[in-house]
Amino acid sequence: DIKLEDVNSGETSVHRIGTMVLTLGMDTYDPKEGEYGWSTVPHVISTLDLEKKLRNGELKKAPKNPVFIHCVGSRQNPGEGNRYCSRVCCSAVISIQHELKEMFPDVKIFSAYKEHIRPFASGMEEMWRENRQKGVAYLRWDRERPVTVEQSPDGKEAIVTVYDTLSQETFKIRSEMVVLVLGLEAPHDVDEVTKGLGINRGQDGFLSEMHMKFRPVETTVPGVFVGCTYAKNISDSVNQARAAANEACIPLNLGTVTIELLTAEVNQELCVGCDLCHYSEICPYDAISMVEIEPGVKKSVTDEMRCQGCGACAAICPTGARDMRWWREESILDEVEEMLKE
Ligand code: SF4
Ligand code: SF4
Ligand code: SF4
């Protein structure tokens, strides 16, 4: 049963559901204070801020020497944060630069990219080439010599210093608008959903699928599908969401679900309620919980819809209360004994 709350009216309702498709979206990276001048140099904004200015018609005249700094919060060094590429930001930046050039043909734009430019989306390679032909300067920097941003002594501009590894020259650019190209992250409150549903997150923090190639929209919980996993553009997100919706239709059309019989069961007489199988989080499918059967007495139970029969809980149980239905420890020992006789 799923309990939903209408945040406007405060009303709650409970729904019994058979399948669920999660399309949780993304959040943008929150830069630290001072990171490339964020919240310390007045001329530093994010790609989203610039996008809002463009949509609201706030940009009436060309800013002097706008500089875009790529990969802020993405492809970071080991131990410093997000290691992955956010995949959409190079394309977004190329598209914004194209728009700026159409609005203000004489504006001199600089794009400081970290080692690579990755314009994954369709048509972006061509737009990137067109931008270069129109004079947008793409400067390649690397981790050994990162870009720095400081305020000019008169406070009117930012000074961006970029060592371009291709020309081997250092550029000091006086700019009225420095745009940080922020990476994407899993929604910052995603833990509430994953803990509630018992599904997993990958190392990058995004919801993880059962198998990237063979089961790309399934989760460890049967009936729960992911419509969006790691950072991707709109068309890829729509494709994944469609695939998830199609998968969700299969159990809905069948009307019933067949579950694997090889699940873990608990001998309630042997279970001493030590909580080890639950507290240790040994179960990769979050199929174990403790239930109070009488005041002060707890016993372990298995959610058979979730259990995939991996046997990990049976191995950890100190009293032998947990065992696999149809594949008990005794039967294995009997088989071994018979084989040894032969
Ligand atoms: S898409 Fe471009 S800006 Fe975004 S993380 Fe990847 S390389 Fe960096
Ligand atoms: S580890 Fe065994 S004895 Fe302890 S709670 Fe789990 S099933 Fe019961
Ligand atoms: S057998 Fe595996 S999947 Fe089933 S409850 Fe035990 S640990 Fe979880």
Side-chain angles (χ1 to χ4, degrees):
D1 290 350
I2 298 282
K3 188 174 174 188
L4 297 179
E5 182 182 345
D6 183 331
V7 288
N8 295 321
S9 66
E11 282 177 25
T12 57
S13 52
V14 177
H15 303 266
R16 175 150 290 190
I17 59 146
T19 58
M20 184 188 290
V21 177
L22 298 172
T23 48
L24 302 182
M26 314 272 161
D27 274 331
T28 48
Y29 170 75
D30 286 330
K32 297 178 199 73
E33 187 176 324
E35 189 174 1
Y36 301 107
W38 182 255
S39 72
T40 53
V41 177
H43 310 275
V44 177
I45 61 173
S46 71
T47 19
L48 280 184
D49 296 330
L50 176 55
E51 184 84 32
K52 278 184 205 147
K53 279 180 192 287
L54 288 169
R55 299 305 145 243
N56 297 340
E58 290 171 33
L59 215 58
K60 304 286 185 215
K61 68 179 186 68
K64 179 182 168 188
N65 297 338
V67 183
F68 292 79
I69 302 176
H70 292 229
C71 299
V72 178
S74 305
R75 301 177 58 233
Q76 292 171 299
N77 293 331
E80 286 180 7
N82 301 324
R83 300 279 290 133
Y84 55 86
C85 166
S86 291
R87 295 171 62 93
V88 299
C89 11
C90 275
S91 299
V93 161
I94 288 168
S95 167
I96 289 176
Q97 291 164 348
H98 192 264
E99 191 174 341
L100 282 175
K101 267 292 185 189
E102 291 207 325
M103 289 168 70
F104 312 110
D106 295 330
V107 66
K108 183 69 193 162
I109 300 174
F110 296 86
S111 212
Y113 65 94
K114 191 198 276 186
E115 293 151 0
H116 310 278
I117 286 212
R118 299 176 173 178
F120 289 110
S122 164
M124 282 301 146
E125 191 74 30
E126 294 80 355
M127 194 181 279
W128 177 28
R129 190 178 310 127
E130 201 182 320
N131 285 357
R132 295 200 303 271
Q133 286 163 352
K134 286 182 177 169
V136 179
Y138 291 92
L139 307 174
R140 180 187 183 278
W141 57 279
D142 63 19
R143 292 155 206 267
E144 280 71 44
R145 294 206 204 187
V147 177
T148 59
V149 182
E150 59 198 325
Q151 196 167 349
S152 65
D154 59 11
K156 290 183 181 163
E157 293 163 345
I159 299 177
V160 184
T161 307
V162 189
Y163 175 73
D164 175 32
T165 59
L166 298 181
S167 64
Q168 300 188 352
E169 277 181 46
T170 299
F171 289 75
K172 275 199 177 293
I173 308 158
R174 293 183 73 97
S175 168
E176 284 179 348
M177 188 172 78
V178 180
V179 185
L180 304 192
V181 182
L182 302 184
L184 296 177
E185 293 184 328
H188 293 158
D189 54 359
V190 71
D191 263 349
E192 288 176 27
V193 178
T194 53
K195 283 188 181 147
L197 291 172
I199 57 176
N200 297 330
R201 298 172 69 182
Q203 281 187 341
D204 56 11
F206 292 97
L207 299 183
S208 60
E209 63 283 89
M210 281 288 273
H211 189 283
M212 189 186 281
K213 290 183 180 164
F214 300 115
R215 299 171 81 178
V217 294
E218 289 171 62
T219 65
T220 47
V221 179
V224 178
F225 302 93
V226 276
C228 190
T229 46
Y230 54 87
K232 48 173 73 74
N233 63 26
I234 293 173
S235 58
D236 288 349
S237 301
V238 168
N239 285 339
Q240 187 177 5
R242 283 188 166 180
N246 280 337
E247 283 288 330
C249 284
I250 296 171
L252 284 179
N253 284 337
L254 288 173
T256 54
V257 184
T258 309
I259 60 167
E260 180 57 65
L261 280 177
L262 187 66
T263 52
E265 60 179 5
V266 184
N267 182 331
Q268 297 291 327
E269 285 180 12
L270 291 180
C271 176
V272 293
C274 68
D275 202 24
L276 185 61
C277 54
H278 174 244
Y279 178 75
S280 62
E281 297 185 351
I282 187 85
C283 178
Y285 302 97
D286 197 26
I288 299 173
S289 53
M290 300 299 292
V291 172
E292 192 162 30
I293 55 164
E294 56 185 78
V297 180
K298 284 191 170 180
K299 300 279 182 182
S300 173
V301 291
T302 304
D303 181 339
E304 296 201 349
M305 284 296 290
R306 290 184 174 186
C307 175
Q308 300 291 312
C310 70
C313 58
I316 203 176
C317 175
T319 67
R322 282 196 158 265
D323 213 341
M324 307 311 295
R325 179 180 285 127
W326 320 124
W327 199 241
R328 298 185 180 287
E329 195 177 335
E330 285 167 30
S331 13
I332 298 171
L333 291 175
D334 285 349
E335 272 189 29
V336 173
E337 204 172 305
E338 286 305 313
M339 279 193 288
L340 289 176
K341 273 186 200 164
E342 287 170 15

